[in-house]
């Protein structure tokens, strides 16, 4: 048995120079990495402005009726996962943010939010004057952020449109 191991080791040592000489090379037409000049192009924005996506069977959010808005918000963020302390939804237009407030208890809470109609929106959450969430987020996806409230406080949620088009928004503050 010991001689079998020695034979395998000898074979690996003999093959090592052959394996070390293998290298993948290709010609991509660019100078080697250390000789390339830095790009002078401006970085592309994270969320480049684009027209809102359109769905032929549904009007844009700015044409929704109050019943359509309510239905979308309740379907998107149902009150089924924990105790809900705040729920807000509506239409936010560019340069006209929406501010909502609610009393929240101490402990670990979650803000769940989404939007529809544009590519991105902005949400900020402030508790007792301290900003806990301040982010742009992609629409069409549900986002969740956890935060800790030290003592019963007032939560302020501000939602704004980031592009030049209105968007529907919904948020909920819950304990799970």
């Amino acid at each position: 048995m010991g001689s079998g191991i020695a034979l395998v080791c000898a074979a690996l040592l003999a093959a090592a120079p052959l394996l070390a000489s293998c290298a993948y090379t290709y010609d991509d037409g660019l100078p080697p990495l250390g000789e390339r000049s830095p790009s002078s192009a401006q970085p592309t924005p994270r969320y480049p402005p684009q027209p809102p996506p359109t769905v032929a069977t549904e009007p844009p959010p700015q044409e929704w009726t109050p019943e359509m808005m309510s239905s979308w918000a309740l379907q998107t963020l149902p009150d089924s996962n924990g105790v809900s302390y705040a729920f807000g939804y509506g239409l936010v237009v560019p340069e006209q943010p929406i501010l909502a407030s609610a009393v929240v208890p101490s402990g670990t809470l979650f803000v769940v939010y989404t939007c529809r109609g544009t590519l991105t929106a902005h949400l900020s959450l402030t508790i007792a004057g301290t900003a806990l969430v301040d982010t742009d987020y992609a629409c069409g996806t549900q986002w969740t952020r956890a935060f800790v409230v030290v003592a019963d406080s007032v939560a302020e949620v501000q939602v704004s449109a980031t592009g030049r088009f209105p968007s529907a928004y919904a948020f909920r503050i819950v304990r799970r």
Side-chain angles (χ1 to χ4, degrees), residues 47 52-53 55 58 60-62 64 69 72-77 87-93 98 111-123 135-144 157-163 165-172:
Y47 301 110
V55 178
E58 187 174 288
Q62 59 266 31
W64 288 0
M69 184 70 69
W72 169 78
L74 290 169
Q75 182 180 4
T76 303
L77 299 179
F87 178 58
Y89 63 90
L91 184 71
V92 64
V93 296
I98 304 291
V111 60
V112 184
Y113 49 100
T114 188
C115 65
R116 186 166 175 183
T118 61
L119 294 176
T120 62
H122 185 86
L123 181 124
T135 184
D136 287 347
Y137 60 96
C139 290
T141 302
Q142 183 175 310
W143 297 88
T144 302
V157 177
Q158 183 171 340
V159 182
S160 56
T162 56
F165 299 101
S167 73
Y169 73 90
F171 74 89
R172 189 178 291 278

Side-chain angles (χ1 to χ4, degrees), residues 13-82:
L13 286 174
L18 295 173
L19 294 174
S21 66
C22 293
Y24 180 76
T25 60
Y26 61 93
D27 183 16
D28 60 2
L30 297 172
L33 284 176
E35 299 173 15
R36 295 181 190 178
S37 62
S39 173
S40 62
Q42 294 293 323
T44 57
R46 185 171 177 191
Y47 301 110
Q50 296 177 2
T54 57
V55 178
T57 60
E58 187 174 288
Q62 59 266 31
E63 295 177 14
W64 288 0
T65 65
E67 293 79 23
M68 292 169 73
M69 184 70 69
S70 174
S71 174
W72 169 78
L74 290 169
Q75 182 180 4
T76 303
L77 299 179
D79 188 13
S80 61
N81 192 3

